[in-house]
Amino acid sequence: MRKSIATVSLSGSLGEKLAAAARAGFDGVEIFENDLLASPLAPEEVRDRAADLGLTIDLYQPMRDIEAVPAELFARNLRRAGRKFEVMRRLGTDTLLVCSSVSPHAEDDDALAAAQLHALAERAREAGVRIAYEALAWGRHVSTYDHAWRIVAAAGHPALGICLDSFHILSRGSDPRGIADIPGEKIFFLQLADAPLMAMDVLQWSRHYRCFPGQGGFDVAGLVRQAVRAGYEGPLSLEVFNDVFRQAEAGSTAVDALRSLIALEDAAGIAGLPGPVVPSGVAFAELATPDPGPVGELLGALGFARTGKHTTKPVELWTQGEARVLLNTAAGGRRASTALAAIGLETPDPGGAARRAEALLAPVLPRRRAAGDVPLDAVAAPDGTALFFCATGRGGLPDWTGDFAAVPVRGAARGTGIGRVDHVALTQPWHQYDEAVLFHRTVLGLSPHDSVEIADPYGLFRSRALTGGTGEARPGQARLGEARLVLNLAPVPTEDAGRAQHLAFATDDIVATARLVRERGAALLAIPANYHDDLDARFVFAPGELDTYRELGILYDRDERGGEFRHFYTASTGRIFFEVVQRTGGYQGYGAANAPVRLAAQGAAGH
């Protein structure tokens, strides 16, 4: 289906919005009246600019407070509408959105509303225009789509139809199955938006918190299926009011918007994508560093050994069990401090994963590859992190480890019990958090968990985990074959250079690992005594257990099913710090209850 976006969904001038929509690949736009009024471009210039960019103007909106009003007021409304019809002629569009009235002058009289909308539609027909009537969720008397449809049906004019808006329908809890009973030719337009599920005034919810389909909690795909079942053949159009999107760069927002519609079509069964290839784990994490010494020392204290060197690039491979870290000094030379640059995702079908990513507009990363280097597909996540699709040690598929020549390990291997990467936590730029959730959900096929808010000493810290994989479990162990990413949003906007990230490694014996790491000189994060005093009040421990946690700086959490989570943190090196975790009893969280203590401790330590 054709894809459109309302100019109100993007930041910038009207010309900038049109250019961003065209670059992203949209077919058309809705012109929001305020954007036109604020533009120095005449309507004819807007029409020509859109045409030059390959965009149609699918809708002009909104016209408010028209129907069910006293005769004198309605006469003024018809005059106003006539002027708007002339603007539409100059713009080259033929559909006007009319919202259900919120005017205090509006009367609760469906027959009057139908008669006045019929009169408006007749004027529109004479001007070559048609009217799409939309029920606002906060309309004075008409606030549901089925009520709006009854009025449109009663008016019985060919130039009058209905506009369906997913936010107005789903925010009120209306059942979209009734849409299938509306004749498809009378559904003049379909506007789409998602939103997080929130308990607040619906007008404020609508004006500030809408988001693109797939970023919130509404079943937008189900609504679209009902519209298509009814016979709707018009564009899928996004109308999103969002404070962050209005401040973010229009180009990236437009790409994210189009990605949401491509994924929505797939979810609604309208058009198919290459199937999701869900990663089963983290093959490696790559750190870019200008100086590998400090991070190498910390990895050594954690029990990692330098086991390989890239055959053509200044990249070292550090391993312990199935946990692998790459240290890249070439990329690090462009950075002021050590930072996470890339993640290798263990993927059942790397080629299939790359095809799906490209279909969902993920930027494919060019890779400088010498003769003999293993071919790897990679895309860029919204925050710039490179994501590689990997197959490690599987016959018949290129193995990235073949690019590394073995190097002698200094002394005897001295592991600490770390066996694999448990999860990777990425702090997102303030304007890309929702985009990142949609990207990782659609491109990688990961399943998002509920968003949580965590108290930071300087504000609220938002966090959302995404997981995927087989989820198979051993008795007493966490699920295996599972990829875990955690997306965080810091409490205040910061420059990219200030965003902290961390890698979490899994062990089967947190106490033994902590003792070994500390004995080898690693600086661990100091946890206040008050925290462990509170643990003593909340939980019952075996004799001496809490004393051990206090001694080693281990944090503890227990879920409602009895699953347990033990973890500790290293001090930061550059923008990176490490976490070591032990999961037992099927615990699937991330110790969110402990995050405020960790954040405060890092703040006190100057990290």
Side-chain angles (χ1 to χ4, degrees), residues 2-49:
R2 296 181 65 257
K3 299 174 183 66
S4 186
I5 187 169
T7 54
V8 74
S9 307
L10 302 171
S11 67
S13 67
L14 181 53
E16 292 169 334
K17 296 178 183 204
L18 294 176
R23 284 196 305 270
F26 279 95
D27 302 302
V29 293
E30 304 174 32
I31 299 293
F32 192 66
E33 185 172 62
N34 287 358
D35 287 325
L36 179 65
L37 299 182
S39 176
L41 300 173
E44 294 85 356
E45 293 176 296
V46 174
R47 177 195 63 208
D48 294 343
R49 179 78 59 87

Side-chain angles (χ1 to χ4, degrees), residues 2 36 222 230 401 423 428 433 448 462 465 467 496 542 567 570 575 581:
R2 296 181 65 257
L36 179 65
T401 61
H423 63 275
Q428 300 298 302
Y433 182 75
R462 289 175 63 196
T467 58
D496 181 74
H567 55 139
T570 71
R575 287 172 48 201
V581 312

Side-chain angles (χ1 to χ4, degrees), residues 152-287:
V152 167
H157 196 287
L160 178 66
I162 192 169
C163 173
L164 298 172
D165 183 303
S166 64
F167 179 85
H168 293 302
I169 294 169
L170 299 175
S171 65
R172 291 187 60 89
S174 297
D175 188 345
R177 287 179 294 183
I179 293 171
D181 297 328
I182 301 173
E185 67 274 11
K186 298 300 286 184
I187 303 175
F188 281 6
F189 212 74
L190 182 61
Q191 292 181 320
L192 302 171
D194 205 338
L197 302 180
M198 306 174 76
M200 68 182 306
D201 174 73
V202 69
L203 178 58
Q204 295 304 311
W205 191 11
S206 172
R207 286 288 178 258
H208 301 284
Y209 296 102
R210 293 196 197 193
C211 53
F212 297 131
Q215 294 177 336
F218 290 159
D219 181 13
V220 182
L223 184 145
V224 170
R225 281 193 292 270
Q226 297 301 330
V228 172
R229 187 173 299 158
Y232 176 71
E233 296 180 346
L236 302 177
S237 189
L238 295 167
E239 187 199 36
V240 172
F241 299 85
N242 185 290
D243 294 345
V244 173
F245 296 172
R246 286 172 174 143
Q247 300 174 67
E249 195 274 320
S252 61
T253 302
V255 170
D256 190 42
L258 189 62
R259 178 182 298 124
S260 77
L261 285 185
I262 294 170
L264 179 65
E265 283 188 318
D266 185 52
I270 297 170
L273 283 171
V277 182
V278 182
S280 59
V282 175
F284 65 81
E286 180 175 328
L287 306 182

Side-chain angles (χ1 to χ4, degrees), residues 297-444:
E297 289 180 9
L298 183 52
L299 286 171
L302 285 167
F304 284 78
R306 180 177 174 271
T307 58
K309 189 177 188 305
H310 199 282
T311 54
T312 62
K313 301 172 185 176
V315 181
E316 300 174 350
L317 170 62
W318 292 69
T319 62
Q320 183 175 185
E322 294 182 0
R324 308 174 191 91
V325 177
L326 307 183
L327 299 186
N328 186 333
T329 54
R334 301 189 294 271
R335 297 176 183 264
S337 61
T338 300
L340 183 69
I343 303 171
L345 296 168
E346 200 64 55
T347 310
D349 177 8
R355 288 189 292 274
R356 179 176 175 86
E358 192 166 1
L360 283 162
L361 311 180
V364 176
L365 293 176
R367 184 168 177 255
R368 182 173 60 84
R369 191 168 70 239
D373 281 1
V374 173
L376 282 180
D377 292 303
V379 298
D383 67 350
T385 302
L387 303 175
F388 287 88
F389 301 116
C390 302
T392 308
R394 278 180 282 149
L397 293 173
D399 188 339
W400 64 276
T401 61
D403 285 343
F404 290 83
V407 299
V409 177
R410 298 176 186 172
R414 299 196 306 158
T416 60
I418 287 172
R420 62 190 179 279
V421 174
D422 183 86
H423 63 275
V424 182
L426 303 170
T427 301
Q428 300 298 302
W430 67 273
H431 59 287
Q432 290 178 327
Y433 182 75
D434 289 327
E435 179 183 355
V437 172
L438 179 67
F439 179 94
H440 290 91
R441 186 185 69 78
T442 57
V443 172
L444 302 183

Side-chain angles (χ1 to χ4, degrees), residues 70-134:
E72 181 181 345
L73 180 55
F74 183 63
R76 293 201 298 270
N77 288 343
L78 286 179
R79 177 183 176 277
R80 177 162 56 101
R83 299 294 179 89
K84 299 306 176 185
F85 296 159
E86 174 60 19
V87 171
M88 293 171 65
R89 182 192 64 77
R90 296 169 65 191
L91 279 172
T93 188
D94 67 354
T95 304
L96 174 67
L97 177 69
V98 171
C99 302
S100 63
S101 181
V102 298
S103 169
H105 302 293
E107 301 176 21
D108 189 6
D109 186 336
D110 285 4
L112 178 60
Q116 291 185 344
L117 286 174
H118 184 281
L120 176 68
E122 181 58 24
R123 294 286 185 93
R125 183 194 63 77
E126 294 169 356
V129 171
R130 57 184 201 160
I131 303 297
Y133 182 56
E134 173 188 68

